[in-house]
Amino acid sequence: MKITDAKVFVNSPGRNFVTLKIYTDEGIYGLGDATLNGRELSVAAYLTEHLLPCIIGRDPFEIEDIWQYGYKGAYWRRGPVTMSAIGAIDVALWDLKGKALNTPVYNLLGGRSRNGLLVYTHANGKDIAETIEKVHAEKEKGYRAIRIQSGVPGLEKIYGISKDGKAYEPAIRGGLPAEETWDSSKYLNFLPKLAEKVRVEFGDDLHLLHDSHHRLTPIEAARLGKSLEPYHFFWLEDTVPAELQEGFRIIRQHTTTPLAVGEVFNTIYDCQQLITEQLIDYIRMTVSHGGGLTPMKKIAALAELYHVKTGCHGATDMSPICLAACLHLGTAINNFGIQEHMRHNALTDEVFPHAYYFEDGFLHVGDAPGLGVDFDEKKAEQYPYEKAYLPVNRLGDGTLFSW
Ligand code: KDG
Ligand code: MG
Protein backbone atom coordinates (compact mmCIF):
# COMPACT_ATOMS: atom_id res chain seq x y z
CA MET A 1 0.00 0.00 0.00
CA LYS A 2 1.18 3.56 -0.75
CA ILE A 3 0.16 6.98 0.53
CA THR A 4 -1.16 8.86 -2.51
CA ASP A 5 -2.38 12.13 -1.01
CA ALA A 6 -2.99 13.96 2.26
CA LYS A 7 -5.29 16.93 2.93
CA VAL A 8 -5.80 19.31 5.82
CA PHE A 9 -9.29 20.63 6.60
CA VAL A 10 -9.75 23.67 8.82
CA ASN A 11 -13.39 24.14 9.82
CA SER A 12 -15.56 25.36 12.65
CA PRO A 13 -18.43 22.92 13.26
CA GLY A 14 -19.29 24.20 16.74
CA ARG A 15 -15.66 25.29 17.28
CA ASN A 16 -12.44 25.28 15.26
CA PHE A 17 -10.87 21.97 14.29
CA VAL A 18 -7.96 21.00 12.06
CA THR A 19 -8.44 17.56 10.52
CA LEU A 20 -5.93 15.54 8.52
CA LYS A 21 -6.96 12.90 6.00
CA ILE A 22 -4.35 10.55 4.49
CA TYR A 23 -5.34 8.68 1.32
CA THR A 24 -3.88 5.47 -0.14
CA ASP A 25 -3.84 3.66 -3.47
CA GLU A 26 -6.12 0.99 -1.95
CA GLY A 27 -8.91 3.45 -1.20
CA ILE A 28 -8.44 3.24 2.58
CA TYR A 29 -7.92 6.55 4.39
CA GLY A 30 -6.83 7.53 7.88
CA LEU A 31 -7.86 10.52 10.01
CA GLY A 32 -5.83 12.59 12.46
CA ASP A 33 -6.61 15.61 14.67
CA ALA A 34 -4.22 18.56 14.27
CA THR A 35 -6.17 21.09 16.34
CA LEU A 36 -4.14 23.43 18.55
CA ASN A 37 -6.57 25.84 20.17
CA GLY A 38 -5.96 29.44 19.07
CA ARG A 39 -3.01 28.42 16.84
CA GLU A 40 -4.86 26.27 14.30
CA LEU A 41 -3.40 27.71 11.09
CA SER A 42 0.21 27.26 12.16
CA VAL A 43 -0.24 23.49 12.52
CA ALA A 44 -2.14 23.35 9.22
CA ALA A 45 0.74 25.19 7.50
CA TYR A 46 3.39 22.99 9.15
CA LEU A 47 1.60 19.95 7.78
CA THR A 48 0.88 21.17 4.26
CA GLU A 49 4.13 23.07 3.70
CA HIS A 50 6.62 20.76 5.39
CA LEU A 51 5.51 17.30 6.52
CA LEU A 52 2.92 16.04 4.05
CA PRO A 53 5.09 16.32 0.90
CA CYS A 54 7.55 13.92 2.60
CA ILE A 55 5.01 11.14 3.21
CA ILE A 56 3.51 10.88 -0.28
CA GLY A 57 4.54 7.55 -1.81
CA ARG A 58 5.46 6.00 1.54
CA ASP A 59 4.13 2.71 2.91
CA PRO A 60 1.55 3.81 5.57
CA PHE A 61 2.33 0.72 7.68
CA GLU A 62 5.81 2.10 8.53
CA ILE A 63 4.42 4.14 11.42
CA GLU A 64 7.52 4.21 13.64
CA ASP A 65 9.84 5.24 10.83
CA ILE A 66 7.46 7.94 9.57
CA TRP A 67 7.21 9.27 13.15
CA GLN A 68 11.00 9.39 13.51
CA TYR A 69 11.25 11.07 10.10
CA GLY A 70 8.93 13.86 11.31
CA TYR A 71 10.70 14.17 14.68
CA LYS A 72 14.42 13.56 14.05
CA GLY A 73 14.25 14.36 10.37
CA ALA A 74 13.25 18.00 10.91
CA TYR A 75 16.33 18.86 13.04
CA TRP A 76 14.06 21.35 14.91
CA ARG A 77 12.50 19.28 17.67
CA ARG A 78 9.59 19.50 20.09
CA GLY A 79 7.06 22.31 20.54
CA PRO A 80 3.25 22.20 20.31
CA VAL A 81 2.97 23.12 16.61
CA THR A 82 5.52 20.56 15.45
CA MET A 83 4.30 17.79 17.74
CA SER A 84 0.60 18.33 16.94
CA ALA A 85 1.43 18.05 13.24
CA ILE A 86 3.51 14.87 13.77
CA GLY A 87 0.74 13.57 16.06
CA ALA A 88 -1.96 14.07 13.42
CA ILE A 89 0.01 12.03 10.87
CA ASP A 90 0.76 9.32 13.42
CA VAL A 91 -2.87 8.94 14.54
CA ALA A 92 -4.07 8.90 10.92
CA LEU A 93 -1.62 6.07 10.18
CA TRP A 94 -2.81 3.98 13.15
CA ASP A 95 -6.40 4.56 12.00
CA LEU A 96 -5.48 3.51 8.49
CA LYS A 97 -3.64 0.38 9.64
CA GLY A 98 -6.58 -0.66 11.81
CA LYS A 99 -8.95 -0.26 8.88
CA ALA A 100 -6.59 -2.15 6.54
CA LEU A 101 -6.34 -5.04 9.02
CA ASN A 102 -10.04 -4.77 9.90
CA THR A 103 -9.44 -4.37 13.64
CA PRO A 104 -9.83 -1.59 16.24
CA VAL A 105 -6.64 0.35 17.00
CA TYR A 106 -6.57 -0.94 20.59
CA ASN A 107 -5.81 -4.41 19.19
CA LEU A 108 -2.72 -3.01 17.49
CA LEU A 109 -1.62 -1.47 20.81
CA GLY A 110 -1.74 -4.71 22.80
CA GLY A 111 -5.44 -5.54 23.00
CA ARG A 112 -8.22 -4.81 25.44
CA SER A 113 -7.20 -4.34 29.08
CA ARG A 114 -10.59 -3.19 30.41
CA ASN A 115 -14.25 -3.05 29.52
CA GLY A 116 -14.84 0.68 29.80
CA LEU A 117 -12.89 3.83 30.64
CA LEU A 118 -13.78 5.84 33.72
CA VAL A 119 -14.34 9.44 32.67
CA TYR A 120 -14.73 12.75 34.45
CA THR A 121 -16.81 15.65 33.31
CA HIS A 122 -17.01 19.30 34.36
CA ALA A 123 -19.37 21.09 36.76
CA ASN A 124 -18.80 24.84 36.51
CA GLY A 125 -20.84 27.33 38.55
CA LYS A 126 -20.68 31.08 39.15
CA ASP A 127 -20.70 30.35 42.91
CA ILE A 128 -20.84 27.40 45.32
CA ALA A 129 -24.62 26.96 45.06
CA GLU A 130 -24.59 26.88 41.27
CA THR A 131 -21.59 24.51 41.21
CA ILE A 132 -23.49 22.12 43.50
CA GLU A 133 -26.51 22.31 41.16
CA LYS A 134 -24.25 21.47 38.20
CA VAL A 135 -22.71 18.51 40.07
CA HIS A 136 -26.23 17.16 40.69
CA ALA A 137 -27.04 17.51 36.98
CA GLU A 138 -23.86 15.70 35.86
CA LYS A 139 -24.33 12.97 38.44
CA GLU A 140 -27.80 12.37 37.08
CA LYS A 141 -26.30 11.81 33.63
CA GLY A 142 -24.31 8.95 35.19
CA TYR A 143 -20.90 10.52 35.83
CA ARG A 144 -18.97 9.10 38.79
CA ALA A 145 -16.11 11.60 38.61
CA ILE A 146 -16.68 15.35 38.33
CA ARG A 147 -14.31 18.29 38.08
CA ILE A 148 -15.57 21.22 40.14
CA GLN A 149 -14.76 24.83 39.18
CA SER A 150 -16.48 27.85 40.68
CA GLY A 151 -16.41 31.61 40.41
CA VAL A 152 -14.28 33.11 43.18
CA PRO A 153 -15.69 36.05 45.17
CA GLY A 154 -13.88 39.23 44.11
CA LEU A 155 -12.68 37.87 40.74
CA GLU A 156 -14.65 39.05 37.72
CA LYS A 157 -13.81 36.41 35.06
CA ILE A 158 -12.24 33.09 35.83
CA TYR A 159 -11.03 30.01 33.98
CA GLY A 160 -13.67 27.35 33.53
CA ILE A 161 -16.78 29.45 34.20
CA SER A 162 -19.11 30.52 31.42
CA LYS A 163 -20.78 33.91 31.84
CA ASP A 164 -23.74 33.32 29.50
CA GLY A 165 -24.96 30.00 30.91
CA LYS A 166 -23.69 28.16 27.78
CA ALA A 167 -21.13 25.33 27.88
CA TYR A 168 -17.69 26.81 28.72
CA GLU A 169 -15.40 27.44 25.73
CA PRO A 170 -12.28 29.46 26.51
CA ALA A 171 -11.35 30.47 22.92
CA ILE A 172 -13.20 33.66 21.99
CA ARG A 173 -14.00 34.40 18.33
CA GLY A 174 -13.33 37.85 16.91
CA GLY A 175 -10.89 40.50 18.09
CA LEU A 176 -7.80 40.10 20.21
CA PRO A 177 -7.46 37.87 23.30
CA ALA A 178 -9.87 38.62 26.15
CA GLU A 179 -8.19 39.69 29.40
CA GLU A 180 -8.89 38.14 32.80
CA THR A 181 -7.68 39.20 36.24
CA TRP A 182 -6.23 36.86 38.83
CA ASP A 183 -5.58 36.86 42.59
CA SER A 184 -4.06 33.69 44.10
CA SER A 185 -4.86 34.62 47.69
CA LYS A 186 -8.59 35.05 47.03
CA TYR A 187 -8.58 31.69 45.22
CA LEU A 188 -6.63 29.87 47.95
CA ASN A 189 -8.95 31.16 50.66
CA PHE A 190 -12.04 30.15 48.72
CA LEU A 191 -11.31 26.70 47.35
CA PRO A 192 -11.44 24.66 50.61
CA LYS A 193 -14.88 26.21 51.30
CA LEU A 194 -16.13 24.98 47.93
CA ALA A 195 -14.65 21.52 48.53
CA GLU A 196 -16.23 21.22 51.97
CA LYS A 197 -19.70 22.17 50.75
CA VAL A 198 -19.51 19.76 47.81
CA ARG A 199 -18.34 16.86 50.00
CA VAL A 200 -21.07 17.50 52.58
CA GLU A 201 -23.68 17.53 49.79
CA PHE A 202 -22.47 14.43 47.92
CA GLY A 203 -20.74 12.23 50.50
CA ASP A 204 -17.55 10.28 50.02
CA ASP A 205 -18.12 8.14 46.93
CA LEU A 206 -18.19 10.72 44.15
CA HIS A 207 -14.71 11.35 42.69
CA LEU A 208 -13.91 15.07 42.77
CA LEU A 209 -11.28 16.78 40.64
CA HIS A 210 -10.15 20.38 40.30
CA ASP A 211 -7.99 22.35 37.83
CA SER A 212 -5.87 25.27 39.11
CA HIS A 213 -4.86 26.02 35.50
CA HIS A 214 -1.18 26.81 36.14
CA ARG A 215 -1.62 29.79 38.45
CA LEU A 216 0.19 28.96 41.69
CA THR A 217 3.75 28.83 42.95
CA PRO A 218 4.95 25.48 44.35
CA ILE A 219 4.46 26.56 47.98
CA GLU A 220 0.96 27.91 47.21
CA ALA A 221 0.16 24.62 45.49
CA ALA A 222 1.44 22.79 48.57
CA ARG A 223 -0.93 24.84 50.75
CA LEU A 224 -3.85 24.14 48.44
CA GLY A 225 -3.15 20.41 48.31
CA LYS A 226 -2.91 20.28 52.10
CA SER A 227 -6.13 22.24 52.58
CA LEU A 228 -7.97 19.84 50.26
CA GLU A 229 -6.77 16.65 51.97
CA PRO A 230 -9.88 16.22 54.16
CA TYR A 231 -12.00 16.13 50.97
CA HIS A 232 -9.85 13.42 49.30
CA PHE A 233 -9.78 14.69 45.73
CA PHE A 234 -9.13 12.26 42.87
CA TRP A 235 -6.62 14.85 41.64
CA LEU A 236 -5.53 18.44 41.74
CA GLU A 237 -4.56 19.51 38.23
CA ASP A 238 -2.02 21.96 36.81
CA THR A 239 -1.27 23.76 40.05
CA VAL A 240 1.92 25.40 38.76
CA PRO A 241 3.27 26.02 35.26
CA ALA A 242 5.39 22.90 34.91
CA GLU A 243 8.44 23.99 32.93
CA LEU A 244 10.33 23.76 36.24
CA GLN A 245 9.82 20.07 36.87
CA GLU A 246 11.84 20.01 40.12
CA GLY A 247 9.41 22.61 41.54
CA PHE A 248 7.00 19.73 42.08
CA ARG A 249 9.28 18.36 44.82
CA ILE A 250 8.11 21.19 47.07
CA ILE A 251 4.44 20.39 46.47
CA ARG A 252 5.02 16.69 46.95
CA GLN A 253 6.85 17.16 50.28
CA HIS A 254 3.78 18.83 51.77
CA THR A 255 0.67 17.09 50.55
CA THR A 256 -0.89 13.71 49.82
CA THR A 257 -3.47 15.16 47.43
CA PRO A 258 -2.81 13.37 44.09
CA LEU A 259 -1.30 15.62 41.43
CA ALA A 260 -2.04 15.71 37.70
CA VAL A 261 -0.22 17.74 35.08
CA GLY A 262 0.73 17.76 31.41
CA GLU A 263 -2.02 19.00 29.10
CA VAL A 264 0.43 21.46 27.51
CA PHE A 265 3.32 18.97 27.30
CA ASN A 266 4.29 17.55 23.96
CA THR A 267 7.22 15.18 24.47
CA ILE A 268 8.45 12.64 27.00
CA TYR A 269 11.17 15.11 28.04
CA ASP A 270 8.51 17.48 29.43
CA CYS A 271 7.55 14.91 32.05
CA GLN A 272 10.62 12.68 32.41
CA GLN A 273 11.67 14.08 35.81
CA LEU A 274 8.08 14.38 37.05
CA ILE A 275 7.60 10.69 36.33
CA THR A 276 10.94 9.21 37.35
CA GLU A 277 11.00 11.13 40.66
CA GLN A 278 7.35 10.17 41.27
CA LEU A 279 6.40 13.83 41.63
CA ILE A 280 2.99 13.34 39.98
CA ASP A 281 0.25 10.72 40.01
CA TYR A 282 -1.39 11.34 36.62
CA ILE A 283 0.14 12.40 33.32
CA ARG A 284 -2.33 14.57 31.39
CA MET A 285 -0.73 14.61 27.94
CA THR A 286 -3.18 14.00 25.15
CA VAL A 287 -2.53 11.94 22.04
CA SER A 288 -2.76 14.67 19.39
CA HIS A 289 -0.55 17.26 21.17
CA GLY A 290 1.79 14.57 22.46
CA GLY A 291 2.96 13.56 18.98
CA GLY A 292 0.51 10.69 18.45
CA LEU A 293 -0.03 7.15 19.70
CA THR A 294 3.55 6.08 18.92
CA PRO A 295 5.19 8.29 21.61
CA MET A 296 2.21 8.17 23.97
CA LYS A 297 2.55 4.41 24.25
CA LYS A 298 6.20 4.92 25.29
CA ILE A 299 5.27 7.65 27.79
CA ALA A 300 2.60 5.39 29.31
CA ALA A 301 5.16 2.58 29.60
CA LEU A 302 7.65 4.87 31.39
CA ALA A 303 4.87 6.11 33.67
CA GLU A 304 3.82 2.56 34.51
CA LEU A 305 7.25 1.86 36.01
CA TYR A 306 6.77 4.73 38.46
CA HIS A 307 3.12 4.18 39.51
CA VAL A 308 1.95 7.09 37.38
CA LYS A 309 -1.35 6.65 35.53
CA THR A 310 -2.75 8.39 32.46
CA GLY A 311 -5.46 11.04 32.51
CA CYS A 312 -5.50 12.35 28.94
CA HIS A 313 -6.61 15.90 28.29
CA GLY A 314 -10.01 15.71 26.62
CA ALA A 315 -11.43 19.23 26.47
CA THR A 316 -13.65 20.12 23.49
CA ASP A 317 -10.69 21.51 21.54
CA MET A 318 -9.51 17.93 21.07
CA SER A 319 -11.69 16.66 18.21
CA PRO A 320 -13.55 13.33 18.41
CA ILE A 321 -10.60 11.86 16.47
CA CYS A 322 -8.22 12.71 19.32
CA LEU A 323 -10.72 11.56 21.94
CA ALA A 324 -11.07 8.21 20.15
CA ALA A 325 -7.27 7.86 19.97
CA CYS A 326 -7.09 8.47 23.75
CA LEU A 327 -9.78 5.84 24.29
CA HIS A 328 -7.93 3.24 22.22
CA LEU A 329 -4.74 3.93 24.17
CA GLY A 330 -6.62 3.84 27.48
CA THR A 331 -8.33 0.58 26.52
CA ALA A 332 -5.00 -1.10 25.73
CA ILE A 333 -2.59 0.02 28.48
CA ASN A 334 -2.54 -1.30 32.03
CA ASN A 335 -1.93 2.05 33.77
CA PHE A 336 -4.94 3.94 32.45
CA GLY A 337 -6.25 6.28 35.16
CA ILE A 338 -9.18 8.36 33.94
CA GLN A 339 -10.24 10.19 30.76
CA GLU A 340 -11.51 13.77 30.61
CA HIS A 341 -14.89 13.99 28.86
CA MET A 342 -16.05 17.55 28.29
CA ARG A 343 -18.60 16.46 25.64
CA HIS A 344 -18.66 17.94 22.16
CA ASN A 345 -21.71 19.82 20.98
CA ALA A 346 -24.24 18.22 18.62
CA LEU A 347 -22.79 19.81 15.48
CA THR A 348 -19.28 18.57 16.23
CA ASP A 349 -20.66 15.08 16.83
CA GLU A 350 -22.52 15.21 13.50
CA VAL A 351 -19.41 16.19 11.57
CA PHE A 352 -17.38 13.47 13.32
CA PRO A 353 -19.69 10.43 13.60
CA HIS A 354 -18.11 7.97 16.02
CA ALA A 355 -18.35 4.48 17.46
CA TYR A 356 -17.41 5.44 21.05
CA TYR A 357 -20.27 5.95 23.49
CA PHE A 358 -20.89 6.99 27.10
CA GLU A 359 -22.70 4.70 29.52
CA ASP A 360 -23.00 4.82 33.28
CA GLY A 361 -19.87 6.86 33.99
CA PHE A 362 -17.67 5.10 31.44
CA LEU A 363 -16.73 5.72 27.81
CA HIS A 364 -16.62 2.67 25.59
CA VAL A 365 -14.44 2.72 22.52
CA GLY A 366 -16.60 0.44 20.35
CA ASP A 367 -15.44 -2.29 17.98
CA ALA A 368 -15.20 -0.46 14.64
CA PRO A 369 -11.97 -0.99 12.69
CA GLY A 370 -9.36 1.76 13.09
CA LEU A 371 -10.31 4.58 15.44
CA GLY A 372 -14.02 4.26 14.72
CA VAL A 373 -14.45 7.96 13.83
CA ASP A 374 -15.35 9.42 10.45
CA PHE A 375 -15.29 12.97 9.09
CA ASP A 376 -18.17 14.47 7.07
CA GLU A 377 -16.23 16.85 4.81
CA LYS A 378 -19.32 18.17 3.04
CA LYS A 379 -20.99 19.15 6.28
CA ALA A 380 -17.74 20.56 7.70
CA GLU A 381 -17.34 22.80 4.62
CA GLN A 382 -20.48 24.68 5.64
CA TYR A 383 -18.69 25.92 8.78
CA PRO A 384 -15.62 27.94 7.84
CA TYR A 385 -12.78 28.54 10.27
CA GLU A 386 -13.13 31.62 12.47
CA LYS A 387 -10.07 33.05 14.16
CA ALA A 388 -10.32 32.67 17.95
CA TYR A 389 -7.91 33.39 20.79
CA LEU A 390 -7.52 31.91 24.25
CA PRO A 391 -7.66 34.62 26.96
CA VAL A 392 -4.66 36.19 28.65
CA ASN A 393 -4.46 36.80 32.37
CA ARG A 394 -3.15 39.68 34.49
CA LEU A 395 -2.76 40.38 38.18
CA GLY A 396 -4.68 43.29 39.71
CA ASP A 397 -1.72 45.64 39.18
CA GLY A 398 -1.51 44.78 35.48
CA THR A 399 1.35 42.26 35.63
CA LEU A 400 1.00 39.64 32.89
CA PHE A 401 0.34 36.23 34.46
CA SER A 402 -0.25 32.64 33.32
CA TRP A 403 -3.75 31.97 31.98
O1 KDG B 1 -7.42 25.04 24.93
C1 KDG B 1 -7.24 25.10 26.31
C2 KDG B 1 -8.15 24.11 26.99
O2 KDG B 1 -8.02 22.85 26.41
C3 KDG B 1 -7.84 24.00 28.47
O3 KDG B 1 -7.97 25.25 29.06
C4 KDG B 1 -8.81 23.02 29.12
O4 KDG B 1 -7.52 23.01 31.12
C5 KDG B 1 -8.32 22.47 30.40
C6 KDG B 1 -8.84 21.15 30.82
O5 KDG B 1 -8.37 20.66 31.83
O6 KDG B 1 -9.69 20.62 30.12
MG1 MG C 1 -6.64 21.58 32.55
Side-chain angles (χ1 to χ4, degrees):
M1 204 191 305
K2 291 258 175 299
I3 297 174
T4 50
D5 198 4
K7 280 193 193 136
V8 178
F9 302 82
V10 187
N11 312 98
S12 197
R15 65 165 349 283
N16 289 327
F17 290 114
V18 182
T19 305
L20 172 68
K21 190 165 180 179
I22 297 182
Y23 306 81
T24 60
D25 55 358
E26 294 189 14
I28 301 168
Y29 59 85
L31 295 170
D33 177 20
T35 311
L36 186 63
N37 208 3
R39 295 290 185 270
E40 292 85 359
L41 299 185
S42 41
V43 188
Y46 194 77
L47 279 164
T48 49
E49 299 296 324
H50 305 293
L51 290 181
L52 299 182
C54 305
I55 65 165
I56 307 301
R58 295 236 18 200
D59 176 352
F61 271 31
E62 293 174 358
I63 297 179
E64 177 74 29
D65 189 72
I66 292 175
W67 190 90
Q68 298 293 349
Y69 194 96
Y71 184 79
K72 293 182 179 159
Y75 184 61
W76 310 109
R77 297 186 185 191
R78 306 171 68 181
V81 173
T82 311
M83 298 309 293
S84 299
I86 295 174
I89 294 177
D90 184 77
V91 167
L93 296 180
W94 283 99
D95 182 36
L96 214 156
K97 190 180 276 195
K99 287 171 180 162
L101 299 176
N102 195 28
T103 193
V105 166
Y106 64 76
N107 275 337
L108 307 177
L109 301 174
R112 194 181 270 283
S113 283
R114 57 188 49 76
N115 298 322
L117 285 85
L118 178 68
V119 293
Y120 73 91
T121 192
H122 297 187
N124 313 321
K126 64 176 185 314
D127 52 24
I128 294 179
E130 193 180 88
T131 306
I132 287 178
E133 256 174 54
K134 296 279 177 70
V135 176
H136 274 295
E138 297 305 322
K139 233 184 131 223
E140 265 162 39
K141 290 176 195 150
Y143 288 98
R144 299 163 187 225
I146 300 181
R147 190 189 89 163
I148 52 169
Q149 306 291 137
S150 165
V152 173
L155 294 182
E156 175 58 22
K157 287 190 207 144
I158 193 163
Y159 163 74
I161 313 302
S162 124
K163 277 269 164 194
D164 51 10
K166 292 192 190 142
Y168 177 70
E169 273 294 348
I172 314 287
R173 297 172 191 208
L176 293 174
E179 300 222 350
E180 299 180 357
T181 309
W182 180 250
D183 184 325
S184 293
S185 82
K186 286 190 168 53
Y187 167 78
L188 287 169
N189 292 337
F190 170 76
L191 215 72
K193 295 178 191 146
L194 168 73
E196 187 192 359
K197 288 269 167 39
V198 174
R199 260 297 166 234
V200 167
E201 179 82 11
F202 294 95
D204 279 335
D205 285 347
L206 184 66
H207 294 305
L208 296 179
L209 301 88
H210 176 74
D211 188 350
S212 300
H213 221 261
H214 329 265
R215 283 145 196 232
L216 303 175
T217 63
I219 202 68
E220 287 169 344
R223 170 183 157 193
L224 179 63
K226 223 168 159 175
S227 69
L228 295 180
E229 278 171 21
Y231 316 111
H232 50 89
F233 273 58
F234 186 97
W235 81 33
L236 181 56
E237 172 182 341
D238 283 350
T239 49
V240 299
E243 290 96 332
L244 185 71
Q245 296 185 42
E246 62 262 41
F248 275 67
R249 290 182 191 143
I250 296 174
I251 315 174
R252 209 49 158 175
Q253 279 157 14
H254 292 283
T255 181
T256 57
T257 296
L259 302 173
V261 73
E263 65 181 44
V264 303
F265 296 172
N266 41 69
T267 71
I268 198 163
Y269 301 106
D270 297 326
C271 52
Q272 182 186 13
Q273 188 178 7
L274 292 172
I275 290 174
T276 57
E277 286 192 34
Q278 300 180 68
L279 300 177
I280 56 171
D281 301 279
Y282 295 91
I283 177 71
R284 291 264 300 135
M285 286 173 69
T286 200
V287 172
S288 57
H289 300 158
L293 285 163
T294 299
M296 285 294 287
K297 182 104 174 91
K298 298 173 189 177
I299 291 165
L302 176 72
E304 186 181 0
L305 293 179
Y306 295 95
H307 304 279
V308 175
K309 293 183 183 173
T310 61
C312 292
H313 187 204
T316 38
D317 42 300
M318 265 94 324
S319 90
I321 298 170
C322 175
L323 179 57
C326 294
L327 297 176
H328 283 274
L329 179 72
T331 298
I333 60 176
N334 182 260
N335 57 327
F336 165 77
I338 198 165
Q339 171 64 48
E340 183 177 17
H341 186 216
M342 203 175 152
R343 286 198 305 272
H344 291 107
N345 63 37
L347 187 53
T348 302
D349 282 341
E350 258 180 62
V351 166
F352 297 95
H354 48 261
Y356 64 76
Y357 60 96
F358 174 80
E359 197 175 78
D360 204 13
F362 292 80
L363 269 172
H364 299 267
V365 72
D367 290 323
L371 292 173
V373 180
D374 214 341
F375 175 56
D376 186 336
E377 289 168 42
K378 284 274 157 293
K379 193 161 278 167
E381 258 172 33
Q382 298 166 26
Y383 303 95
Y385 164 76
E386 286 179 62
K387 188 169 179 158
Y389 278 111
L390 288 170
V392 297
N393 206 12
R394 292 187 185 276
L395 300 180
D397 67 359
T399 307
L400 198 85
F401 201 64
S402 304
W403 175 71

